[in-house]
Amino acid sequence: DAKTTQPPSMDCAEGRAANLPCNHSTISGNEYVYWYRQIHSQGPQYIIHGLKNNETNEMASLIITEDRKSSTLILPHATLRDTAVYYCIVSLTNSGYALNFGKGTSLLVTP
Amino acid sequence: NAGVMQNPRHLVRRRGQEARLRCSPMKGHSHVYWYRQLPEEGLKFMVYLQKENIIDESGMPKERFSAEFPKEGPSILRIQQVVRGDSAAYFCASSPMAPGQTYEQYFGPGTRLTVT
């Protein structure tokens, strides 16, 4: 699986958009980009995933660059409950379960 | 619909003892995955099971670790002769369909194993 690089930490003011970047320059054509988050002491929570096109769901939007070497997770209106560690993971389509989480980005949403 | 349940939530074992971690998947889910999170690190995949079958154990340590998912009852992750390096949070996840048909896994709250 391709390696991902994320900033170790970010801050965001409550109510503003949180934009979390991820670099995956060695991604191959059939690898998906997944985003999960882990709130302190809890199990990870699936957020969104995508292959080439931008994706949106009730939680977030995923913007993948045309060359697929990087992506951005957007939380449009961050709340205090969005404070968590966010993981960007790249994995093959037929082994999307064998996710290996890196160190992620610790997002702190402040009042 | 109850989520993925894991017990115990906290487990303390002395070196050399056995640890048994249990995972009950969400109702209707027949695919179970185990992950380990060492202190200050991200989760690492260990094993993928369906009912009565181990599908992929490529992330499982070769010795002392085993997993099962019987026809009835929870999935069990068993660690024999625990050592201090086994201290970690162990997470279980489940999905309703096979990988490739769904990519979303639902995680339990984890079991925190401390080896003294």
Side-chain angles (χ1 to χ4, degrees):
Chain A
D1 295 338
K3 181 182 158 101
T4 61
T5 304
Q6 298 178 254
S9 63
M10 293 182 63
D11 292 346
C12 178
E14 189 178 18
R16 304 295 293 269
N19 298 291
L20 292 92
C22 179
N23 285 324
H24 30 78
S25 57
T26 61
I27 192 170
S28 63
N30 60 348
E31 286 183 308
Y32 278 72
V33 179
Y34 296 80
W35 283 84
Y36 276 76
R37 73 180 182 183
Q38 187 174 23
I39 297 171
H40 183 61
S41 297
Q42 297 182 22
Q45 178 188 22
Y46 167 86
I47 301 173
I48 200 167
H49 76 280
L51 181 62
K52 294 181 183 178
N53 300 320
N54 298 337
E55 302 287 344
T56 296
N57 62 21
E58 64 278 4
M59 287 183 69
S61 295
L62 173 60
I63 309 298
I64 302 174
T65 58
E66 192 169 344
D67 63 8
R68 304 214 317 128
K69 292 186 177 181
S70 65
S71 60
T72 300
L73 179 74
I74 301 172
L75 307 177
H77 305 287
T79 70
L80 298 179
R81 287 177 293 182
D82 292 322
T83 292
V85 179
Y86 287 76
Y87 298 97
C88 168
I89 306 156
V90 170
S91 187
L92 290 169
T93 55
N94 63 350
S95 57
Y97 60 89
L99 303 176
N100 288 316
F101 294 59
K103 294 193 174 180
T105 295
S106 178
L107 175 68
L108 176 64
V109 180
T110 56
Chain B
N1 186 10
V4 176
M5 303 185 68
Q6 291 187 248
N7 65 80
R9 294 292 306 277
H10 300 273
L11 182 62
V12 179
R13 284 288 178 264
R14 292 182 178 166
R15 281 187 305 170
Q17 290 184 320
E18 179 179 286
R20 280 186 177 238
L21 289 63
R22 287 177 291 277
C23 168
S24 297
M26 289 181 69
K27 187 176 180 181
H29 289 197
S30 58
H31 304 267
V32 166
Y33 318 84
W34 284 93
Y35 291 78
R36 178 168 67 173
Q37 185 172 30
L38 295 170
E40 307 301 320
E41 293 189 15
L43 278 76
K44 302 299 180 190
F45 166 75
M46 298 179 75
V47 62
Y48 160 38
L49 310 102
Q50 291 182 32
K51 286 284 187 181
E52 300 185 280
N53 287 304
I54 296 174
I55 308 301
D56 181 353
E57 56 182 349
S58 59
M60 192 84 108
K62 294 291 185 278
E63 297 179 350
R64 302 187 296 108
F65 285 72
S66 62
E68 63 177 11
F69 188 16
K71 187 176 180 181
E72 301 291 337
S75 174
I76 306 287
L77 179 68
R78 182 181 177 206
I79 311 172
Q80 295 178 293
Q81 299 175 325
V82 296
V83 301
R84 289 218 173 100
D86 296 332
S87 295
Y90 292 83
F91 290 94
C92 168
S94 72
S95 66
M97 292 178 282
Q101 294 175 310
T102 181
Y103 301 102
E104 184 171 351
Q105 298 172 67
Y106 298 83
F107 281 82
T111 293
R112 277 147 188 85
L113 172 65
T114 301
V115 179
T116 60

